Amino acid sequence: MAWFEYRNGVLYAESVSLVRIAEEIGTPVYCYSNAALKANYKEFADAFGHRNILIAYSVKANANQAVITTFSDCGAGADVVSEGELQRALAAGIPGSRIVFSGVGKTQKELKAGLAAQVHQFNLESKAQLESLSEIAANQNVKARVAFRVNPDVDAKTHDKIATGRKADKFGVPIVEARGLYDLAGSLPGIEVVGVDLHIGSQLTDLEPFKDAFSRLAELVNALRRDGHDIRQIDLGGGLGVRYRDEEPPTALSYAGLVDKIFGGFGCQLIFEPGRALVANAGILLSQVIEIKHLSERRFVIIDAAMNDFLRPALYDAWHPIDPVCEAPVDAKREIVDIVGPVCESGDILGRGRAMSFLAPGDLVAIGAAGAYGAVMASNYNTRPLAAEVMVHGGEIAIVCPRLQLDELIGRDRLPQWLGKPTNPFDEHGAT
């Protein structure tokens, strides 16, 4: 089903016109479909039937509370990589027993927070992390349930900046060192070894890298069991790709078939950490054309969304569909344009060399598949307030993150006393 589709020439989110959203909320604004989130979760869960699994939604993909709560209501757990994400998951109603605490560098404060929440599993990434957790847990007279994230040195064949399972990447521990680390973990106080963890990257569109990595992990599990470790949880991470342009990613069902083939006989709980696969196509970024600019032979469409709102094109050279909200006639003349933002950077390009029907100032465009790694990676660069976020449910619209006003944004700064001005430049009395 398409949750974003044209009706009578106007693009809709479920039963809500994007024109209406722009008029009521303003632009730029992220819009998420509640129905799409639920359907994506159901498709993933149904692929595994009644197997013993935990779907731990990867909060880093989209950390809005409304998104996390939607998945929580579906029965999801959470994969978190910071204390902030842990608190977001808990606030959304996900109990610690369904939370996996990942992250390449966990502070002692974060380890303590994970223990307090009684998380389902700590995914450890170093000997130092293990020893810190052991000391903290032993002092509290509790047991921390742990797995090591192992690096299988497998090329995920994805973008260099989102590959995480090669030996040159910072993540995990080398798989050849894992048995020694598990032996150490089994000897330390406050530690309960429960599983293994692996995540080789994001936006994988081929099952072959998964097959290679999973096969190496299966060999490790067998070796660890022979060593006497009670491995009963296998965390296979996330990484299943989505369609942005012309990709043909594996279906959840084919992915589940591969997992079953390799791990079906292990008798373990299987943990998955999907993020992009659940939220990418459930969101769009709605923007308005500011002006059309001609320079030499190039034509620029300047819109009010920018790289600070949506970093993926600048950071990853990512391609996202960009469509007019009001559909052009089939025979409408098109031109090649660069769709850019107003930020003072040459890299502020949302779409280069796009064939678009003629656009004019005031027209609306929708950047598609923007539900993952969109708002979460945004910044206030150029002192631009973050885009608002809304969620639609049938014909209803809810603001799930309001747009910060300029006085609120600038008012967060505090001036030192020696400048002889109010601490808060927006407060003449210097109140905090």
Side-chain angles (χ1 to χ4, degrees):
M1 176 184 176
W3 298 280
F4 298 94
E5 62 182 359
Y6 286 102
R7 299 183 186 179
N8 299 318
V10 177
L11 193 57
Y12 273 67
E14 296 190 26
S15 298
V16 179
S17 162
L18 294 188
V19 173
R20 175 188 163 194
I21 292 176
E23 290 174 347
E24 294 183 8
I25 312 298
T27 57
V29 57
Y30 280 95
C31 174
Y32 311 124
S33 162
N34 183 261
L37 296 171
K38 291 178 179 177
N40 289 342
Y41 181 87
K42 185 176 187 300
E43 179 183 4
F44 196 94
D46 286 354
F48 290 93
H50 299 290
R51 297 172 184 82
N52 180 15
I53 67 168
L54 170 63
I55 300 175
Y57 166 62
S58 183
V59 172
K60 67 178 179 289
N62 187 320
N64 190 282
Q65 286 298 103
V67 171
I68 304 172
T69 300
T70 297
F71 290 134
S72 174
D73 290 348
C74 291
D79 167 55
V80 303
V81 297
S82 70
E83 183 183 3
E85 288 188 353
L86 172 63
Q87 297 304 330
R88 280 184 176 273
L90 293 170
I94 299 178
S97 59
R98 297 209 307 264
I99 294 176
V100 175
F101 203 151
S102 302
V104 71
K106 303 180 188 70
T107 65
Q108 291 205 356
K109 185 172 181 286
E110 288 174 321
L111 294 173
K112 290 176 182 177
L115 284 171
Q118 298 181 322
V119 297
H120 186 62
Q121 178 173 296
F122 285 94
N123 287 337
L124 302 179
E125 301 220 15
S126 67
K127 176 173 177 284
Q129 210 171 90
L130 167 68
E131 292 171 340
S132 290
L133 182 59
S134 170
E135 181 180 358
I136 295 168
N139 287 339
Q140 295 182 11
N141 198 29
V142 296
K143 289 279 190 180
R145 295 161 53 91
V146 307
F148 274 100
R149 176 176 177 173
V150 297
N151 185 323
D153 192 22
V154 167
D155 185 356
K157 295 180 172 57
T158 186
H159 192 284
D160 184 63
K161 292 182 179 178
I162 52 177
T164 62
R166 304 163 301 185
K167 63 182 179 182
D169 296 319
K170 70 178 181 179
F171 299 95
V173 300
I175 196 166
V176 295
E177 299 177 11
R179 291 174 70 181
L181 287 169
Y182 272 91
D183 287 343
L184 174 61
S187 70
L188 291 177
I191 297 296
E192 180 184 2
V193 172
V194 296
V196 294
D197 170 48
L198 173 149
H199 176 63
I200 60 172
S202 184
Q203 186 53 13
L204 274 71
T205 56
D206 184 354
L207 286 177
E208 199 61 30
F210 285 123
K211 180 181 177 182
D212 291 346
F214 293 171
S215 297
R216 296 182 192 187
L217 189 67
E219 292 175 3
L220 175 63
V221 172
N222 284 326
L224 291 174
R225 285 179 165 177
R226 288 195 299 270
D227 292 342
H229 298 290
D230 182 15
I231 304 299
R232 54 190 185 274
Q233 295 171 191
I234 299 177
D235 187 337
L236 297 176
L240 196 61
V242 301
R243 184 182 179 92
Y244 287 109
R245 190 176 189 178
D246 53 9
E247 304 93 337
E248 293 294 342
T251 64
L253 204 57
S254 61
Y255 173 73
L258 172 65
V259 171
D260 231 15
K261 183 177 180 180
I262 297 175
F263 296 105
F266 277 74
C268 289
Q269 180 191 53
L270 297 175
I271 302 172
F272 302 96
E273 302 167 1
R276 186 192 311 266
L278 300 185
V279 296
N281 71 359
I284 59 99
L285 175 57
L286 179 61
S287 181
Q288 187 173 55
V289 176
I290 299 174
E291 66 174 274
I292 310 298
K293 184 174 182 178
H294 297 267
L295 286 178
S296 186
E297 297 179 355
R298 301 197 72 84
R299 184 173 173 86
F300 296 93
V301 176
I302 304 173
I303 62 177
D304 63 3
M307 64 183 290
N308 76 293
D309 302 300
F310 193 50
L311 186 59
R312 294 195 76 251
L315 183 61
Y316 303 125
D317 296 317
W319 193 99
H320 284 259
I322 303 177
D323 297 296
V325 168
C326 294
E327 191 174 27
V330 175
D331 59 353
K333 186 176 180 181
R334 284 166 167 75
E335 58 182 346
I336 303 299
V337 300
D338 291 343
I339 300 173
V340 303
V343 156
C344 193
E345 293 286 343
S346 295
D348 185 21
I349 301 172
L350 286 306
R352 189 189 295 276
R354 302 299 179 90
M356 300 286 292
S357 57
F358 284 105
L359 292 169
D363 287 348
L364 297 170
V365 296
I367 302 173
Y373 304 104
V376 285
M377 298 180 76
S379 75
N380 294 122
Y381 187 45
N382 283 188
T383 309
R384 288 170 50 87
L386 298 179
E389 298 171 71
V390 302
M391 183 176 287
V392 298
H393 175 63
E396 299 178 82
I397 307 171
I399 297 175
V400 295
C401 186
R403 193 186 319 278
L404 201 65
Q405 298 303 307
L406 276 174
D407 59 348
E408 297 174 298
L409 175 59
I410 301 171
R412 293 165 61 190
D413 295 349
R414 295 294 181 266
L415 301 181
Q417 291 181 350
W418 62 78
L419 290 179
K421 295 181 180 181
T423 300
N424 181 338
F426 277 86
D427 185 349
E428 62 181 6
H429 303 294
T432 60

